[in-house]
Amino acid sequence: MMITLKQLAEQSGFSIRTVRRVLANQPHVNPEKRRIIMELAEKNCYVPNMAARSLRLQQKNCVGVLLEDFSQNASVNKLNALDAALVEKGFCPLLGRITPGAEAECEKMLSTWAGVAEYVVVFPVADNLRINFFQKLNKQFPLKFIFVDCDSTDLQYCVPVDRVGSVRNMVLALAEMKYKHLLYCGSLLTRKKGIEEAEKENLPLKISCLQAGSEFSDGENAGEKVLASGADAVFFDTDRAAAGFYRFAAGRGVRIPEDISVVGFDNELYSDILTPPLASLAHPEKEIAERILQIISGDETEKTPLKMRFIKRKSLKNM
Amino acid sequence: MMITLKQLAEQSGFSIRTVRRVLANQPHVNPEKRRIIMELAEKNCYVPNMAARSLRLQQKNCVGVLLEDFSQNASVNKLNALDAALVEKGFCPLLGRITPGAEAECEKMLSTWAGVAEYVVVFPVADNLRINFFQKLNKQFPLKFIFVDCDSTDLQYCVPVDRVGSVRNMVLALAEMKYKHLLYCGSLLTRKKGIEEAEKENLPLKISCLQAGSEFSDGENAGEKVLASGADAVFFDTDRAAAGFYRFAAGRGVRIPEDISVVGFDNELYSDILTPPLASLAHPEKEIAERILQIISGDETEKTPLKMRFIKRKSLKNM
DNA sequence: CTGAAAGCGCTAACAC
DNA sequence: GTGTTAGCGCTTTCAG
């Protein structure tokens, strides 16, 4: 099935060393012999065995990627950007998942990564981080974990994303756009803190809060209260919740953005497809991938938290 | 960094063989020695080296997964289902991408999979399959390719999905729901053929076709012509195109499903979030994953093409 | 019950 | 220019 150097050596009549020289493009080989060996290798589709190579060189060219959720929270966008960056540098992404409640399976999986991967990138659903579990992993496995978008400083490597500051900046931007009254509808800590940071600025913008969940149905169910608030703009925990509000609005004949403007969070794949396109805070996928590669390459220079991008779309006025 | 069996043997004073017995839970070890070795291994977080293990056992426990697109065509749903199934059986998914135009990089990546993976699952964007390239891969690499949702019979392993028959059945279902006039708006071959198959049934349902692309903007731009057709139901190539029509409808005050019912294709993550929720043909992700695992496990029994599920939602009448 | 040793495929130091 | 050989960490056969 898989031809080896040794077999190539036997079949060609030359030694392993010479065959190796040819296949590794090293000098000091008789051109004629080189040609013969090259042909033989191509004919037999020689491909080096990665397991043997890793073992011998003591180098691991896989990078583990751990996702909590394949369908939400724009994690797929991050995976996409990271995958592209990894492959470009010759690394192979090993895909895994952390399912809350299935920690044992996760550990089993990680143990099969030892020896082929050195780093493991973890994309946790933030605000939902089980720090203890990750710290245990950090100690238990001969793997270097890189935690993305996670505030703890105890963990070996981190790619911090400043959600709080990004929310704050978004609020400032809304104030600049002459909005009068912003309602925050949600319950996630980072969003709340960002709102509070913005409040400290004494903006000419009234800010009020409505406690609600972060799912589609939460946004839909909060609809009446959102309207009752009299706000001219509403910010939701997630694009999902914002999409729920869209449905409520459609049912009630509420016009977006004429009656009320809407901002979501995560910039999901569908945000642009909704009508009107939903303004949202986008994760800096590219920059995250870059940082991760810096860490893996050993030149970890930048440590400042990354910012999210405020994507203005037609769910805001004058877009 | 990573402790080895040999080091464990040296530190404990016993032989590699004995240490191995303990760690592999094999019998015939003095209980006291077992205890000592066990403790030492735990203290040092011993994890077996996968590269060495693969090499020695000549078995590959990674499975490559090749995606064409991370954001469209519900490929993420399939990836999700496959990943879950693979991990459950103790396989590690190796993630890769096929970018049209970047075949060379794809080959480079595949060559790094040799020795750690035996099978590679390919999720091509159907109707867009570059058979030649895949056949070349099949010959060139010591890897067994499993092509999902792909009609060619020349390729070693296949998990066929009967798109044509599924479209046909969807049309029959619409006829049963008393629709009078269905418009197919698109250009993809499998959809067209499915429509043709349905036409052969002489249904009490007028069927007409409108040539259009499969992207969001295509659905949006086709809006006027769709209305002009007088159809009471329209079927698009993709959910994306259907979502484009939603936007047109919102702008023109066209009510879905009162004025016209809509059906998409792919059952994207957002289809349920649109207002009204978009009826669509869903890929049989779970069944695909099952078939793939059957092939990998060597008991390839079922060969009949899988069917897609017609997901009825409120973009249809009386839902 | 325990240990010595071979070998998976690859790489590279060392000879000639 | 070319060949021999040790060894990465693990598994297993064979001897004691």
Side-chain angles (χ1 to χ4, degrees), chain B residues 68 73 124-131 134 148-151 161 163-164 167 184 187-193 214 237-238 240 265-266 283:
Chain B
E68 260 197 68
N73 286 62
V125 171
D127 292 330
N128 179 24
L129 190 61
R130 286 142 302 136
I131 292 278
F134 289 125
V148 175
D149 205 345
C150 148
D151 297 327
V161 177
R163 297 178 171 227
V164 171
V167 169
Y184 163 58
S187 54
L188 297 184
L189 215 63
T190 49
R191 311 335 179 229
K192 265 186 192 159
K193 280 191 189 161
S214 314
D237 268 350
T238 61
R240 273 167 290 146
F265 192 100
D266 277 343
H283 298 270

PDB file of all heavy atoms in Angstrom, chain B residues 68 73 124-131 134 148-151 161 163-164 167 184 187-193 214 237-238 240 265-266 283:
ATOM      1  N   GLU B  68     -14.709  21.986   1.015  1.00  0.00           N
ATOM      2  CA  GLU B  68     -14.485  22.995  -0.014  1.00  0.00           C
ATOM      3  C   GLU B  68     -14.839  24.367   0.513  1.00  0.00           C
ATOM      4  O   GLU B  68     -14.286  25.374   0.107  1.00  0.00           O
ATOM      5  CB  GLU B  68     -15.316  22.693  -1.258  1.00  0.00           C
ATOM      6  CG  GLU B  68     -14.483  22.036  -2.331  1.00  0.00           C
ATOM      7  CD  GLU B  68     -15.136  22.107  -3.689  1.00  0.00           C
ATOM      8  OE1 GLU B  68     -15.243  23.207  -4.242  1.00  0.00           O
ATOM      9  OE2 GLU B  68     -15.542  21.046  -4.188  1.00  0.00           O
ATOM     10  N   ASN B  73     -23.286  25.899   2.016  1.00  0.00           N
ATOM     11  CA  ASN B  73     -23.702  24.561   1.642  1.00  0.00           C
ATOM     12  C   ASN B  73     -23.782  23.581   2.787  1.00  0.00           C
ATOM     13  O   ASN B  73     -23.584  22.394   2.621  1.00  0.00           O
ATOM     14  CB  ASN B  73     -22.766  24.000   0.585  1.00  0.00           C
ATOM     15  CG  ASN B  73     -23.039  24.650  -0.741  1.00  0.00           C
ATOM     16  OD1 ASN B  73     -22.882  25.854  -0.866  1.00  0.00           O
ATOM     17  ND2 ASN B  73     -23.506  23.888  -1.676  1.00  0.00           N
ATOM     18  N   PRO B 124     -17.289  17.538  -1.321  1.00  0.00           N
ATOM     19  CA  PRO B 124     -17.184  18.518  -2.389  1.00  0.00           C
ATOM     20  C   PRO B 124     -18.479  19.320  -2.471  1.00  0.00           C
ATOM     21  O   PRO B 124     -19.526  18.857  -2.033  1.00  0.00           O
ATOM     22  CB  PRO B 124     -17.006  17.665  -3.637  1.00  0.00           C
ATOM     23  CG  PRO B 124     -17.483  16.301  -3.280  1.00  0.00           C
ATOM     24  CD  PRO B 124     -17.750  16.236  -1.810  1.00  0.00           C
ATOM     25  N   VAL B 125     -18.353  20.519  -3.011  1.00  0.00           N
ATOM     26  CA  VAL B 125     -19.554  21.247  -3.364  1.00  0.00           C
ATOM     27  C   VAL B 125     -20.063  20.559  -4.621  1.00  0.00           C
ATOM     28  O   VAL B 125     -19.421  20.581  -5.654  1.00  0.00           O
ATOM     29  CB  VAL B 125     -19.244  22.720  -3.651  1.00  0.00           C
ATOM     30  CG1 VAL B 125     -20.460  23.407  -4.231  1.00  0.00           C
ATOM     31  CG2 VAL B 125     -18.808  23.411  -2.387  1.00  0.00           C
ATOM     32  N   ALA B 126     -21.167  19.909  -4.506  1.00  0.00           N
ATOM     33  CA  ALA B 126     -21.650  19.124  -5.635  1.00  0.00           C
ATOM     34  C   ALA B 126     -22.013  20.048  -6.786  1.00  0.00           C
ATOM     35  O   ALA B 126     -22.105  21.255  -6.629  1.00  0.00           O
ATOM     36  CB  ALA B 126     -22.854  18.301  -5.227  1.00  0.00           C
ATOM     37  N   ASP B 127     -22.201  19.479  -7.936  1.00  0.00           N
ATOM     38  CA  ASP B 127     -22.467  20.231  -9.158  1.00  0.00           C
ATOM     39  C   ASP B 127     -21.241  21.046  -9.555  1.00  0.00           C
ATOM     40  O   ASP B 127     -21.283  21.853 -10.454  1.00  0.00           O
ATOM     41  CB  ASP B 127     -23.654  21.200  -8.997  1.00  0.00           C
ATOM     42  CG  ASP B 127     -24.950  20.421  -8.846  1.00  0.00           C
ATOM     43  OD1 ASP B 127     -25.046  19.318  -9.400  1.00  0.00           O
ATOM     44  OD2 ASP B 127     -25.838  20.930  -8.162  1.00  0.00           O
ATOM     45  N   ASN B 128     -20.168  20.840  -8.830  1.00  0.00           N
ATOM     46  CA  ASN B 128     -19.006  21.685  -9.052  1.00  0.00           C
ATOM     47  C   ASN B 128     -17.777  20.807  -8.896  1.00  0.00           C
ATOM     48  O   ASN B 128     -16.706  21.245  -8.538  1.00  0.00           O
ATOM     49  CB  ASN B 128     -19.013  22.792  -7.988  1.00  0.00           C
ATOM     50  CG  ASN B 128     -17.833  23.707  -8.130  1.00  0.00           C
ATOM     51  OD1 ASN B 128     -17.269  23.826  -9.216  1.00  0.00           O
ATOM     52  ND2 ASN B 128     -17.444  24.324  -7.041  1.00  0.00           N
ATOM     53  N   LEU B 129     -17.987  19.540  -9.154  1.00  0.00           N
ATOM     54  CA  LEU B 129     -16.981  18.564  -8.817  1.00  0.00           C
ATOM     55  C   LEU B 129     -15.929  18.458  -9.906  1.00  0.00           C
ATOM     56  O   LEU B 129     -16.225  18.239 -11.056  1.00  0.00           O
ATOM     57  CB  LEU B 129     -17.680  17.216  -8.641  1.00  0.00           C
ATOM     58  CG  LEU B 129     -16.850  16.106  -8.071  1.00  0.00           C
ATOM     59  CD1 LEU B 129     -16.362  16.471  -6.692  1.00  0.00           C
ATOM     60  CD2 LEU B 129     -17.680  14.855  -8.030  1.00  0.00           C
ATOM     61  N   ARG B 130     -14.684  18.635  -9.490  1.00  0.00           N
ATOM     62  CA  ARG B 130     -13.622  18.454 -10.463  1.00  0.00           C
ATOM     63  C   ARG B 130     -13.114  17.025 -10.369  1.00  0.00           C
ATOM     64  O   ARG B 130     -12.117  16.731  -9.731  1.00  0.00           O
ATOM     65  CB  ARG B 130     -12.514  19.462 -10.195  1.00  0.00           C
ATOM     66  CG  ARG B 130     -12.900  20.867 -10.629  1.00  0.00           C
ATOM     67  CD  ARG B 130     -12.392  21.891  -9.674  1.00  0.00           C
ATOM     68  NE  ARG B 130     -12.910  21.635  -8.348  1.00  0.00           N
ATOM     69  CZ  ARG B 130     -12.172  21.692  -7.254  1.00  0.00           C
ATOM     70  NH1 ARG B 130     -10.916  21.956  -7.327  1.00  0.00           N
ATOM     71  NH2 ARG B 130     -12.725  21.467  -6.078  1.00  0.00           N
ATOM     72  N   ILE B 131     -13.853  16.150 -11.005  1.00  0.00           N
ATOM     73  CA  ILE B 131     -13.583  14.724 -10.943  1.00  0.00           C
ATOM     74  C   ILE B 131     -12.122  14.394 -11.237  1.00  0.00           C
ATOM     75  O   ILE B 131     -11.493  13.600 -10.546  1.00  0.00           O
ATOM     76  CB  ILE B 131     -14.481  13.963 -11.948  1.00  0.00           C
ATOM     77  CG1 ILE B 131     -15.938  14.041 -11.510  1.00  0.00           C
ATOM     78  CG2 ILE B 131     -14.043  12.518 -12.082  1.00  0.00           C
ATOM     79  CD1 ILE B 131     -16.335  13.059 -10.461  1.00  0.00           C
ATOM     80  N   PHE B 134      -9.798  14.800  -8.341  1.00  0.00           N
ATOM     81  CA  PHE B 134      -9.982  13.816  -7.284  1.00  0.00           C
ATOM     82  C   PHE B 134      -9.483  12.443  -7.706  1.00  0.00           C
ATOM     83  O   PHE B 134      -8.938  11.699  -6.893  1.00  0.00           O
ATOM     84  CB  PHE B 134     -11.452  13.744  -6.867  1.00  0.00           C
ATOM     85  CG  PHE B 134     -11.892  14.954  -6.110  1.00  0.00           C
ATOM     86  CD1 PHE B 134     -12.972  15.703  -6.519  1.00  0.00           C
ATOM     87  CD2 PHE B 134     -11.210  15.358  -4.973  1.00  0.00           C
ATOM     88  CE1 PHE B 134     -13.370  16.832  -5.818  1.00  0.00           C
ATOM     89  CE2 PHE B 134     -11.599  16.491  -4.270  1.00  0.00           C
ATOM     90  CZ  PHE B 134     -12.684  17.223  -4.696  1.00  0.00           C
ATOM     91  N   VAL B 148     -18.308  12.082  -0.645  1.00  0.00           N
ATOM     92  CA  VAL B 148     -19.677  12.181  -0.176  1.00  0.00           C
ATOM     93  C   VAL B 148     -20.505  12.953  -1.183  1.00  0.00           C
ATOM     94  O   VAL B 148     -20.047  13.978  -1.702  1.00  0.00           O
ATOM     95  CB  VAL B 148     -19.726  12.898   1.188  1.00  0.00           C
ATOM     96  CG1 VAL B 148     -21.162  13.120   1.627  1.00  0.00           C
ATOM     97  CG2 VAL B 148     -18.972  12.102   2.226  1.00  0.00           C
ATOM     98  N   ASP B 149     -21.673  12.446  -1.455  1.00  0.00           N
ATOM     99  CA  ASP B 149     -22.623  13.214  -2.227  1.00  0.00           C
ATOM    100  C   ASP B 149     -22.070  13.497  -3.616  1.00  0.00           C
ATOM    101  O   ASP B 149     -22.025  14.638  -4.072  1.00  0.00           O
ATOM    102  CB  ASP B 149     -22.860  14.545  -1.507  1.00  0.00           C
ATOM    103  CG  ASP B 149     -24.214  15.104  -1.864  1.00  0.00           C
ATOM    104  OD1 ASP B 149     -24.804  14.636  -2.843  1.00  0.00           O
ATOM    105  OD2 ASP B 149     -24.665  16.010  -1.161  1.00  0.00           O
ATOM    106  N   CYS B 150     -21.711  12.431  -4.275  1.00  0.00           N
ATOM    107  CA  CYS B 150     -20.987  12.578  -5.525  1.00  0.00           C
ATOM    108  C   CYS B 150     -21.360  11.406  -6.405  1.00  0.00           C
ATOM    109  O   CYS B 150     -21.412  10.267  -5.952  1.00  0.00           O
ATOM    110  CB  CYS B 150     -19.496  12.607  -5.180  1.00  0.00           C
ATOM    111  SG  CYS B 150     -18.426  11.920  -6.399  1.00  0.00           S
ATOM    112  N   ASP B 151     -21.693  11.672  -7.663  1.00  0.00           N
ATOM    113  CA  ASP B 151     -22.332  10.661  -8.491  1.00  0.00           C
ATOM    114  C   ASP B 151     -21.380   9.685  -9.160  1.00  0.00           C
ATOM    115  O   ASP B 151     -21.756   8.569  -9.476  1.00  0.00           O
ATOM    116  CB  ASP B 151     -23.191  11.343  -9.557  1.00  0.00           C
ATOM    117  CG  ASP B 151     -24.307  12.146  -8.905  1.00  0.00           C
ATOM    118  OD1 ASP B 151     -24.782  11.704  -7.846  1.00  0.00           O
ATOM    119  OD2 ASP B 151     -24.687  13.193  -9.448  1.00  0.00           O
ATOM    120  N   VAL B 161     -25.825  10.580  -2.299  1.00  0.00           N
ATOM    121  CA  VAL B 161     -27.054  11.201  -1.808  1.00  0.00           C
ATOM    122  C   VAL B 161     -27.916  11.484  -3.029  1.00  0.00           C
ATOM    123  O   VAL B 161     -27.457  12.088  -3.994  1.00  0.00           O
ATOM    124  CB  VAL B 161     -26.754  12.505  -1.051  1.00  0.00           C
ATOM    125  CG1 VAL B 161     -28.052  13.172  -0.626  1.00  0.00           C
ATOM    126  CG2 VAL B 161     -25.885  12.231   0.167  1.00  0.00           C
ATOM    127  N   ARG B 163     -29.950  13.492  -4.662  1.00  0.00           N
ATOM    128  CA  ARG B 163     -30.506  14.846  -4.731  1.00  0.00           C
ATOM    129  C   ARG B 163     -31.664  14.904  -5.706  1.00  0.00           C
ATOM    130  O   ARG B 163     -32.695  15.515  -5.425  1.00  0.00           O
ATOM    131  CB  ARG B 163     -29.426  15.824  -5.189  1.00  0.00           C
ATOM    132  CG  ARG B 163     -28.284  15.915  -4.221  1.00  0.00           C
ATOM    133  CD  ARG B 163     -27.209  16.838  -4.716  1.00  0.00           C
ATOM    134  NE  ARG B 163     -26.254  17.047  -3.648  1.00  0.00           N
ATOM    135  CZ  ARG B 163     -25.786  18.229  -3.285  1.00  0.00           C
ATOM    136  NH1 ARG B 163     -26.159  19.301  -3.927  1.00  0.00           N
ATOM    137  NH2 ARG B 163     -24.955  18.341  -2.282  1.00  0.00           N
ATOM    138  N   VAL B 164     -31.471  14.247  -6.834  1.00  0.00           N
ATOM    139  CA  VAL B 164     -32.503  14.287  -7.867  1.00  0.00           C
ATOM    140  C   VAL B 164     -33.822  13.736  -7.322  1.00  0.00           C
ATOM    141  O   VAL B 164     -34.864  14.389  -7.391  1.00  0.00           O
ATOM    142  CB  VAL B 164     -32.048  13.489  -9.107  1.00  0.00           C
ATOM    143  CG1 VAL B 164     -33.190  13.329 -10.093  1.00  0.00           C
ATOM    144  CG2 VAL B 164     -30.857  14.170  -9.763  1.00  0.00           C
ATOM    145  N   VAL B 167     -35.462  15.989  -4.730  1.00  0.00           N
ATOM    146  CA  VAL B 167     -36.163  17.139  -5.310  1.00  0.00           C
ATOM    147  C   VAL B 167     -37.508  16.674  -5.870  1.00  0.00           C
ATOM    148  O   VAL B 167     -38.547  17.300  -5.622  1.00  0.00           O
ATOM    149  CB  VAL B 167     -35.312  17.802  -6.417  1.00  0.00           C
ATOM    150  CG1 VAL B 167     -36.146  18.805  -7.197  1.00  0.00           C
ATOM    151  CG2 VAL B 167     -34.086  18.476  -5.820  1.00  0.00           C
ATOM    152  N   TYR B 184     -39.591  26.719 -10.625  1.00  0.00           N
ATOM    153  CA  TYR B 184     -38.220  26.406 -10.212  1.00  0.00           C
ATOM    154  C   TYR B 184     -37.337  27.545 -10.695  1.00  0.00           C
ATOM    155  O   TYR B 184     -37.293  27.849 -11.892  1.00  0.00           O
ATOM    156  CB  TYR B 184     -37.736  25.074 -10.797  1.00  0.00           C
ATOM    157  CG  TYR B 184     -36.235  24.938 -10.741  1.00  0.00           C
ATOM    158  CD1 TYR B 184     -35.555  25.012  -9.519  1.00  0.00           C
ATOM    159  CD2 TYR B 184     -35.474  24.776 -11.897  1.00  0.00           C
ATOM    160  CE1 TYR B 184     -34.171  24.927  -9.469  1.00  0.00           C
ATOM    161  CE2 TYR B 184     -34.095  24.683 -11.850  1.00  0.00           C
ATOM    162  CZ  TYR B 184     -33.453  24.766 -10.631  1.00  0.00           C
ATOM    163  OH  TYR B 184     -32.084  24.698 -10.583  1.00  0.00           O
ATOM    164  N   SER B 187     -30.428  27.004 -11.585  1.00  0.00           N
ATOM    165  CA  SER B 187     -29.717  26.489 -12.750  1.00  0.00           C
ATOM    166  C   SER B 187     -28.926  25.215 -12.460  1.00  0.00           C
ATOM    167  O   SER B 187     -28.276  24.681 -13.357  1.00  0.00           O
ATOM    168  CB  SER B 187     -28.763  27.563 -13.281  1.00  0.00           C
ATOM    169  OG  SER B 187     -27.927  28.010 -12.238  1.00  0.00           O
ATOM    170  N   LEU B 188     -28.976  24.711 -11.251  1.00  0.00           N
ATOM    171  CA  LEU B 188     -28.148  23.543 -10.931  1.00  0.00           C
ATOM    172  C   LEU B 188     -28.762  22.264 -11.492  1.00  0.00           C
ATOM    173  O   LEU B 188     -29.969  22.044 -11.423  1.00  0.00           O
ATOM    174  CB  LEU B 188     -27.946  23.429  -9.422  1.00  0.00           C
ATOM    175  CG  LEU B 188     -27.197  24.601  -8.794  1.00  0.00           C
ATOM    176  CD1 LEU B 188     -26.954  24.354  -7.308  1.00  0.00           C
ATOM    177  CD2 LEU B 188     -25.863  24.840  -9.500  1.00  0.00           C
ATOM    178  N   LEU B 189     -27.886  21.422 -11.996  1.00  0.00           N
ATOM    179  CA  LEU B 189     -28.309  20.243 -12.732  1.00  0.00           C
ATOM    180  C   LEU B 189     -29.185  19.298 -11.926  1.00  0.00           C
ATOM    181  O   LEU B 189     -30.222  18.823 -12.403  1.00  0.00           O
ATOM    182  CB  LEU B 189     -27.066  19.504 -13.224  1.00  0.00           C
ATOM    183  CG  LEU B 189     -27.246  18.841 -14.573  1.00  0.00           C
ATOM    184  CD1 LEU B 189     -27.521  19.901 -15.627  1.00  0.00           C
ATOM    185  CD2 LEU B 189     -26.021  18.020 -14.936  1.00  0.00           C
ATOM    186  N   THR B 190     -28.762  19.010 -10.696  1.00  0.00           N
ATOM    187  CA  THR B 190     -29.515  18.034  -9.903  1.00  0.00           C
ATOM    188  C   THR B 190     -30.937  18.524  -9.643  1.00  0.00           C
ATOM    189  O   THR B 190     -31.878  17.729  -9.650  1.00  0.00           O
ATOM    190  CB  THR B 190     -28.826  17.778  -8.558  1.00  0.00           C
ATOM    191  OG1 THR B 190     -28.507  19.023  -7.949  1.00  0.00           O
ATOM    192  CG2 THR B 190     -27.555  16.974  -8.749  1.00  0.00           C
ATOM    193  N   ARG B 191     -31.075  19.827  -9.404  1.00  0.00           N
ATOM    194  CA  ARG B 191     -32.428  20.361  -9.159  1.00  0.00           C
ATOM    195  C   ARG B 191     -33.272  20.218 -10.424  1.00  0.00           C
ATOM    196  O   ARG B 191     -34.417  19.780 -10.373  1.00  0.00           O
ATOM    197  CB  ARG B 191     -32.401  21.828  -8.783  1.00  0.00           C
ATOM    198  CG  ARG B 191     -31.486  22.395  -7.730  1.00  0.00           C
ATOM    199  CD  ARG B 191     -30.952  21.624  -6.647  1.00  0.00           C
ATOM    200  NE  ARG B 191     -30.086  22.454  -5.801  1.00  0.00           N
ATOM    201  CZ  ARG B 191     -28.876  22.134  -5.402  1.00  0.00           C
ATOM    202  NH1 ARG B 191     -28.343  20.961  -5.748  1.00  0.00           N
ATOM    203  NH2 ARG B 191     -28.194  22.938  -4.624  1.00  0.00           N
ATOM    204  N   LYS B 192     -32.671  20.594 -11.541  1.00  0.00           N
ATOM    205  CA  LYS B 192     -33.388  20.526 -12.814  1.00  0.00           C
ATOM    206  C   LYS B 192     -33.883  19.117 -13.089  1.00  0.00           C
ATOM    207  O   LYS B 192     -35.041  18.901 -13.442  1.00  0.00           O
ATOM    208  CB  LYS B 192     -32.441  20.942 -13.947  1.00  0.00           C
ATOM    209  CG  LYS B 192     -32.545  22.399 -14.340  1.00  0.00           C
ATOM    210  CD  LYS B 192     -31.677  22.649 -15.571  1.00  0.00           C
ATOM    211  CE  LYS B 192     -31.537  24.155 -15.808  1.00  0.00           C
ATOM    212  NZ  LYS B 192     -30.363  24.472 -16.619  1.00  0.00           N
ATOM    213  N   LYS B 193     -32.976  18.165 -12.904  1.00  0.00           N
ATOM    214  CA  LYS B 193     -33.349  16.771 -13.178  1.00  0.00           C
ATOM    215  C   LYS B 193     -34.470  16.320 -12.261  1.00  0.00           C
ATOM    216  O   LYS B 193     -35.370  15.598 -12.673  1.00  0.00           O
ATOM    217  CB  LYS B 193     -32.131  15.862 -12.983  1.00  0.00           C
ATOM    218  CG  LYS B 193     -31.180  15.859 -14.158  1.00  0.00           C
ATOM    219  CD  LYS B 193     -30.158  14.732 -13.988  1.00  0.00           C
ATOM    220  CE  LYS B 193     -29.043  14.836 -15.029  1.00  0.00           C
ATOM    221  NZ  LYS B 193     -27.854  14.062 -14.619  1.00  0.00           N
ATOM    222  N   SER B 214     -27.430  30.888  -8.176  1.00  0.00           N
ATOM    223  CA  SER B 214     -27.727  30.246  -6.896  1.00  0.00           C
ATOM    224  C   SER B 214     -27.334  31.093  -5.698  1.00  0.00           C
ATOM    225  O   SER B 214     -27.395  30.631  -4.560  1.00  0.00           O
ATOM    226  CB  SER B 214     -26.978  28.919  -6.812  1.00  0.00           C
ATOM    227  OG  SER B 214     -27.113  28.200  -8.013  1.00  0.00           O
ATOM    228  N   ASP B 237     -32.461  27.156  -5.929  1.00  0.00           N
ATOM    229  CA  ASP B 237     -31.276  26.289  -5.915  1.00  0.00           C
ATOM    230  C   ASP B 237     -30.694  26.128  -4.521  1.00  0.00           C
ATOM    231  O   ASP B 237     -30.137  25.079  -4.178  1.00  0.00           O
ATOM    232  CB  ASP B 237     -30.178  26.909  -6.786  1.00  0.00           C
ATOM    233  CG  ASP B 237     -30.221  26.406  -8.213  1.00  0.00           C
ATOM    234  OD1 ASP B 237     -30.975  25.456  -8.472  1.00  0.00           O
ATOM    235  OD2 ASP B 237     -29.497  26.966  -9.053  1.00  0.00           O
ATOM    236  N   THR B 238     -30.742  27.207  -3.758  1.00  0.00           N
ATOM    237  CA  THR B 238     -30.093  27.224  -2.448  1.00  0.00           C
ATOM    238  C   THR B 238     -30.912  28.068  -1.476  1.00  0.00           C
ATOM    239  O   THR B 238     -31.721  28.896  -1.886  1.00  0.00           O
ATOM    240  CB  THR B 238     -28.705  27.899  -2.532  1.00  0.00           C
ATOM    241  OG1 THR B 238     -28.889  29.248  -2.957  1.00  0.00           O
ATOM    242  CG2 THR B 238     -27.771  27.188  -3.493  1.00  0.00           C
ATOM    243  N   ARG B 240     -29.578  30.313   0.213  1.00  0.00           N
ATOM    244  CA  ARG B 240     -29.052  31.656  -0.013  1.00  0.00           C
ATOM    245  C   ARG B 240     -29.911  32.418  -1.018  1.00  0.00           C
ATOM    246  O   ARG B 240     -30.301  33.568  -0.786  1.00  0.00           O
ATOM    247  CB  ARG B 240     -27.632  31.579  -0.588  1.00  0.00           C
ATOM    248  CG  ARG B 240     -26.531  31.487   0.429  1.00  0.00           C
ATOM    249  CD  ARG B 240     -25.237  31.110  -0.259  1.00  0.00           C
ATOM    250  NE  ARG B 240     -25.285  29.714  -0.729  1.00  0.00           N
ATOM    251  CZ  ARG B 240     -24.714  29.245  -1.812  1.00  0.00           C
ATOM    252  NH1 ARG B 240     -24.032  30.046  -2.606  1.00  0.00           N
ATOM    253  NH2 ARG B 240     -24.824  27.966  -2.129  1.00  0.00           N
ATOM    254  N   PHE B 265     -32.896  25.044  -0.452  1.00  0.00           N
ATOM    255  CA  PHE B 265     -32.139  23.800  -0.566  1.00  0.00           C
ATOM    256  C   PHE B 265     -30.870  23.936   0.252  1.00  0.00           C
ATOM    257  O   PHE B 265     -30.133  24.920   0.090  1.00  0.00           O
ATOM    258  CB  PHE B 265     -31.786  23.556  -2.037  1.00  0.00           C
ATOM    259  CG  PHE B 265     -31.254  22.179  -2.331  1.00  0.00           C
ATOM    260  CD1 PHE B 265     -32.084  21.205  -2.869  1.00  0.00           C
ATOM    261  CD2 PHE B 265     -29.932  21.850  -2.068  1.00  0.00           C
ATOM    262  CE1 PHE B 265     -31.603  19.927  -3.156  1.00  0.00           C
ATOM    263  CE2 PHE B 265     -29.443  20.578  -2.349  1.00  0.00           C
ATOM    264  CZ  PHE B 265     -30.282  19.613  -2.894  1.00  0.00           C
ATOM    265  N   ASP B 266     -30.637  23.010   1.132  1.00  0.00           N
ATOM    266  CA  ASP B 266     -29.436  22.889   1.972  1.00  0.00           C
ATOM    267  C   ASP B 266     -29.737  22.941   3.462  1.00  0.00           C
ATOM    268  O   ASP B 266     -28.928  22.504   4.277  1.00  0.00           O
ATOM    269  CB  ASP B 266     -28.372  23.967   1.702  1.00  0.00           C
ATOM    270  CG  ASP B 266     -27.475  23.622   0.529  1.00  0.00           C
ATOM    271  OD1 ASP B 266     -27.458  22.451   0.139  1.00  0.00           O
ATOM    272  OD2 ASP B 266     -26.811  24.528   0.007  1.00  0.00           O
ATOM    273  N   HIS B 283     -29.779  18.009   4.203  1.00  0.00           N
ATOM    274  CA  HIS B 283     -28.863  16.901   3.959  1.00  0.00           C
ATOM    275  C   HIS B 283     -28.951  15.907   5.111  1.00  0.00           C
ATOM    276  O   HIS B 283     -29.096  16.295   6.260  1.00  0.00           O
ATOM    277  CB  HIS B 283     -27.432  17.421   3.854  1.00  0.00           C
ATOM    278  CG  HIS B 283     -27.236  18.365   2.723  1.00  0.00           C
ATOM    279  ND1 HIS B 283     -26.872  17.958   1.467  1.00  0.00           N
ATOM    280  CD2 HIS B 283     -27.381  19.706   2.644  1.00  0.00           C
ATOM    281  CE1 HIS B 283     -26.790  19.002   0.679  1.00  0.00           C
ATOM    282  NE2 HIS B 283     -27.095  20.084   1.359  1.00  0.00           N
TER     283      HIS B 283
END
